[in-house]
Amino acid sequence: MIASLERMLPLYEAKMIHHYDHRWATYEPDGTTRDVTLAEKQNPEFVVLSRYWVREEVVSDRLGGRWDRDCLLGWRDICRSTDERTMIGSRFPTTAVGHTMPIVLSAHDLRLLQMVWSTFVFDFVARQKVGGTHMTYGYLEQLTTPAPSFTPPWQDRESPCFAVRTEFLQSSASWGLTRGSPFAPRSMRRCSTSTGSSVVTWTTSWRRFRSSGARTRPRTGSTGLNVILEV
């Protein structure tokens, strides 16, 4: 009897995620949805309930051996330029997803891309581009995004520390993203600069760059999401 049992994975829908939050909404047994309460978010053992479930072997077949990590990065396909936030993406445990939440399969650190997608700057540019109600691959590939090899204006050591800080917002609240995660408390202690000072440093460096009269044009083909997205 045990040999015939199949493991089922929850099917994540776009409404269930938000910025640095893979437990934004959950289904009730009667099929209705609601926002996850603060008390539930404070419980690292709490997991959201999905409406549909998919066999684990089906998920593995769709990934086709291209993914062996414990989490995926996806974004909400349904969006509007008039919403409070247009680009909403988050990491979530590797599982089944619906068609309204496309995913990224990248050999690079997903935390860095999630960090870029969550910025106000990226969101401002995205809302100028979107003309309908869908954040499609076509739209996303047109948005300038720093390549993984891009060197930020601040010191190199601050970039990974900033990424670890942003991961702390999500992974430390739920055990769902802790298993196999590179996050460790001592990594936080190695960060000698705060998030606020990093932003100020970036802003100052950018102003100096602009005032110097230098001009740059985003390259296509070798940078941006067109080398990160795997459709």
Side-chain angles (χ1 to χ4, degrees):
M1 177 178 177
I2 298 179
S4 63
L5 294 179
E6 295 180 316
R7 185 185 182 195
M8 307 295 289
L9 298 179
L11 188 144
Y12 253 73
E13 300 179 34
K15 65 170 71 73
M16 301 168 69
I17 68 168
H18 211 280
H19 293 296
Y20 295 104
D21 193 351
H22 61 285
R23 302 183 300 171
W24 178 257
T26 184
Y27 274 92
E28 292 287 358
D30 60 0
T32 60
T33 59
R34 64 171 177 83
D35 292 342
V36 176
T37 65
L38 177 60
E40 290 171 333
K41 290 181 183 293
Q42 293 174 337
N43 179 10
E45 296 182 346
F46 175 79
V47 294
V48 295
L49 178 66
S50 65
R51 184 175 185 178
Y52 303 104
W53 297 77
V54 181
R55 295 198 310 273
E56 184 180 25
E57 62 183 35
V58 175
V59 177
S60 300
D61 178 69
R62 293 298 186 271
L63 291 174
R66 296 171 295 173
W67 199 252
D68 58 355
R69 306 187 199 177
D70 295 325
C71 66
L72 291 167
L73 174 62
W75 71 92
R76 291 189 181 186
D77 173 78
I78 302 299
C79 68
R80 287 170 292 272
S81 60
T82 55
D83 291 342
E84 183 177 5
R85 296 298 294 269
T86 300
M87 180 63 189
I88 299 177
S90 177
R91 293 181 307 130
F92 54 92
T94 299
T95 187
V97 295
H99 68 283
T100 58
M101 190 165 67
I103 61 175
V104 173
L105 299 182
S106 171
H108 302 283
D109 195 342
L110 296 180
R111 298 174 301 172
L112 299 177
L113 186 56
Q114 179 183 12
M115 181 176 63
V116 172
W117 283 357
S118 301
T119 61
F120 287 113
V121 175
F122 191 90
D123 193 80
F124 176 80
V125 177
R127 65 175 60 237
Q128 313 305 316
K129 177 66 69 172
V130 175
T133 58
H134 295 275
M135 179 62 74
T136 62
Y137 280 103
Y139 279 130
L140 202 53
E141 288 176 346
Q142 297 179 54
L143 301 178
T144 302
T145 304
S149 58
F150 171 74
T151 302
W154 54 78
Q155 298 179 4
D156 295 346
R157 64 183 178 86
E158 294 186 16
S159 181
C161 285
F162 189 86
V164 170
R165 287 176 182 271
T166 56
E167 183 189 27
F168 177 76
L169 298 175
Q170 185 175 6
S171 61
S172 63
S174 170
W175 289 347
L177 288 180
T178 302
R179 182 173 60 90
S181 172
F183 171 81
R186 60 177 179 275
S187 298
M188 288 292 294
R189 293 195 292 268
R190 288 200 300 265
C191 298
S192 59
T193 58
S194 65
T195 301
S197 62
S198 298
V199 174
V200 171
T201 304
W202 182 89
T203 304
T204 304
S205 301
W206 175 251
R207 287 176 178 174
R208 291 174 180 173
F209 171 79
R210 297 296 295 174
S211 61
S212 65
R215 294 293 183 268
T216 184
R217 179 174 60 86
R219 295 160 50 198
T220 59
S222 60
T223 61
L225 293 182
N226 47 352
V227 297
I228 299 179
L229 293 178
E230 184 174 329
V231 183

